[in-house]
Amino acid sequence: MSEILYKYIFTCVLPVFMFVSCQKQTAPCILTEQSFKEMVLKSENEQKYFCILLIDTFLYKTTNLLSNRLNDDEFKYLREKAVFNMVNIYAEENRWYEKWLCPVSVPLTCVFSPDGTLLDLIPGLTYESIAYMNKAVKENRANDEYYCYNRFQLNKRELVFAMNEVLQAKRKSDRGENAKPLIDSAVARVKYPYSLFIKLKNEDKQRDTVNMRNTFTELLSINDAYSLFHYTEEFAAAKKMMDSAYDVSEEPFLEVLPVIVEIGNCKYRERKEFHITLKNKGKRAINISDVETSCSCVTNSGDKKYKIAAFDSICLSFGFTAEQKGEIERYCYFVSDARNAVVDVKITATVE
C-alpha cells in the first residue's frame, strides 16, 4: 500500500506542486533610501535596471501602493528586470536629486540602465505611469508619448538626454576625471545653477582659472527666486572656490517684520492697508530683485526692486482686497542677494 502511495505522490501530486511553485509570482524588489552608488552597484551585479522613485510622502504608504500595482500580471517583465528604490527627495542626503532635476512635481520616477545611465523620467504613480516604466525597461529608451513637464521647456527625449549628461558629468568629476566635454555639452542644453556649478567644480579640479572666471560670472548672473532659494549652498561654495577668504556668515541677512500680518476681520471687496519693514543685518548692501505675492488680492504700492544699505531698513506699503469670504491666507515673497535669498510673510484675514 505504501509503495502505491509513494508512486501516486511522485507521479501525480509532486508534478502538480512543482507546476504551481514554478507559476508563483516573482515579488517586486522595492528598497528604500538607498544611495545612487548603492543602486548602481546592486544593478550592475544583478544586471538589472533600476528605478528611483522621488517622493515627498510617507515611504511605507507609497511602497505598499507601488507593490500592489507591480503585482499586476501586466508588469511581470518589470518586476523581473528592475529593482526599485524609494527616496524622500527632501531628505538632506537626497536633495541633490531636486537640484539636478528641478522637478515640477513628485512622485517622479527616474529609470536607469544597470550602469547608471538615465533612460526615462516618468511623473506620477498611476497604472499608466508604471506601464511606461515597463515600456522604458523593455525598449531601453525614453517614451515620447508620456510627457514630463519640466522647467526647461524641453521635449521628453531632449530632457532625458540633457539630464543624463549633467548626471554623467557629475559622476565623472566626482571620480576625479576631467568631465569637460560632457559638462560643456550639458550646459549648452540646460544652463542652470546645478550644471554651471558642476562645470565650475570640474574647472577648479583641472586648474582652469580662465574658464572658471567666466563660469562663475554666468552662475552669479542667475538671480530668479527659484534658483536663489534652491541653490543657496552652490552659490556660497562657488564664491568660496573663487575666494578662499570668503565667509558665508559675513553675508548680509534680510530680516522681515512682521513675519505674519494679521489683518483680522474685514468685509468682502474692502481694501486694507498694511506695512512690512525690511532690515539689512549685514555689512554690505542688499539688492531686492523682486517682490512677489501669492494672489492678485495682495498688491505692492511701490516698486519691486530696492537697495538696502548696510544696517539700514526700508518700509513698504501693501494693500489687501478680499476677493472671497472666509478664512484667508496669502503670502508676500522678497527675493534678494542676501544669505537668506527668499523670505516670505504670511497674511491672514477673516472676510465677512
Side-chain angles (χ1 to χ4, degrees):
M1 183 68 180
S2 59
E3 186 178 344
I4 296 172
L5 181 60
Y6 282 127
K7 186 175 181 181
Y8 172 76
I9 291 173
F10 278 99
T11 58
C12 299
V13 178
L14 189 59
V16 171
F17 175 78
M18 291 178 68
F19 175 78
V20 172
S21 298
C22 290
Q23 294 300 308
K24 189 176 180 181
Q25 185 167 279
T26 304
C29 178
I30 303 176
L31 308 172
T32 59
E33 298 297 358
Q34 301 293 299
S35 71
F36 183 81
K37 288 181 179 179
E38 288 171 330
M39 290 305 297
V40 172
L41 183 62
K42 179 177 178 61
S43 298
E44 285 186 325
N45 287 340
E46 298 179 12
Q47 276 304 290
K48 287 187 174 183
Y49 292 80
F50 65 100
C51 301
I52 295 181
L53 281 79
L54 306 176
I55 61 175
D56 63 349
T57 53
F58 293 110
L59 283 173
Y60 75 92
K61 287 186 177 179
T62 313
T63 302
N64 290 340
L65 176 64
L66 176 64
S67 180
N68 291 337
R69 290 181 175 170
L70 283 173
N71 281 324
D72 193 299
D73 290 342
E74 182 183 349
F75 306 130
K76 181 176 182 291
Y77 186 87
L78 185 61
R79 286 196 306 271
E80 294 177 346
K81 299 296 182 181
V83 293
F84 298 82
N85 181 30
M86 318 280 290
V87 300
N88 180 355
I89 194 171
Y90 298 126
E92 188 62 34
E93 65 273 17
N94 299 326
R95 288 190 62 219
W96 73 272
Y97 287 110
E98 183 183 20
K99 296 181 179 192
W100 166 43
L101 295 169
C102 309
V104 173
S105 62
V106 290
L108 178 67
T109 300
C110 310
V111 182
F112 295 93
S113 64
D115 66 354
T117 299
L118 180 67
L119 295 179
D120 207 348
L121 291 167
I122 300 172
L125 198 53
T126 62
Y127 275 104
E128 187 179 19
S129 304
I130 296 172
Y132 279 106
M133 293 180 207
N134 192 54
K135 188 174 183 181
V137 169
K138 273 187 175 180
E139 298 181 358
N140 196 49
R141 66 178 181 85
N143 303 288
D144 290 333
E145 58 268 37
Y146 201 56
Y147 187 69
C148 181
Y149 289 96
N150 61 90
R151 301 181 192 278
F152 306 104
Q153 304 301 310
L154 298 175
N155 66 42
K156 174 66 86 64
R157 286 181 187 263
E158 290 172 338
L159 177 67
V160 170
F161 188 88
M163 292 295 101
N164 183 59
E165 280 195 322
V166 175
L167 175 63
Q168 302 312 324
K170 175 185 181 298
R171 295 176 69 193
K172 196 167 187 177
S173 181
D174 287 347
R175 293 193 298 263
E177 302 171 27
N178 188 358
K180 180 175 172 54
L182 260 179
I183 195 58
D184 284 353
S185 176
V187 167
R189 297 174 192 277
V190 281
K191 186 180 292 185
Y192 67 117
Y194 198 67
S195 62
L196 285 169
F197 182 66
I198 292 171
K199 186 174 188 289
L200 185 69
K201 282 206 305 182
N202 187 71
E203 289 163 351
D204 185 37
K205 288 178 181 178
Q206 303 304 317
R207 303 185 184 280
D208 185 355
T209 54
V210 174
N211 280 318
M212 274 186 76
R213 284 193 291 271
N214 295 332
T215 304
F216 180 69
T217 301
E218 279 191 289
L219 177 60
L220 290 196
S221 70
I222 301 174
N223 59 4
D224 61 281
Y226 181 90
S227 297
L228 291 173
F229 182 76
H230 285 87
Y231 299 99
T232 304
E233 295 89 347
E234 283 70 24
F235 284 120
K239 291 175 182 178
K240 185 71 175 178
M241 268 188 254
M242 301 303 292
D243 179 7
S244 59
Y246 171 78
D247 184 353
V248 68
S249 65
E250 294 182 359
E251 289 277 10
F253 185 87
L254 180 65
E255 183 180 56
V256 179
L257 296 171
V259 293
I260 300 177
V261 175
E262 297 177 336
I263 291 174
N265 295 325
C266 63
K267 296 185 182 298
Y268 178 66
R269 297 291 186 187
E270 178 186 7
R271 180 179 172 82
K272 289 281 189 177
E273 300 284 339
F274 63 92
H275 300 86
I276 296 176
T277 299
L278 309 183
K279 293 184 178 181
N280 180 355
K281 305 188 80 174
K283 296 178 181 178
R284 71 164 177 80
I286 290 177
N287 294 295
I288 307 293
S289 57
D290 199 6
V291 178
E292 301 177 1
T293 61
S294 63
C295 176
S296 60
C297 61
V298 180
T299 55
N300 175 16
S301 303
D303 199 356
K304 286 195 172 187
K305 296 182 185 294
Y306 303 90
K307 187 169 186 175
I308 310 174
F311 303 108
D312 201 358
S313 64
I314 60 173
C315 184
L316 304 183
S317 298
F318 291 83
F320 169 76
T321 305
E323 296 179 349
Q324 66 185 69
K325 295 182 179 182
E327 298 296 326
I328 305 298
E329 186 177 292
R330 299 291 184 261
Y331 288 87
C332 286
Y333 302 95
F334 300 93
V335 183
S336 75
D337 58 357
R339 195 191 329 162
N340 52 334
V342 182
V343 184
D344 64 77
V345 172
K346 183 194 290 187
I347 302 143
T348 64
T350 302
V351 184
E352 302 170 345

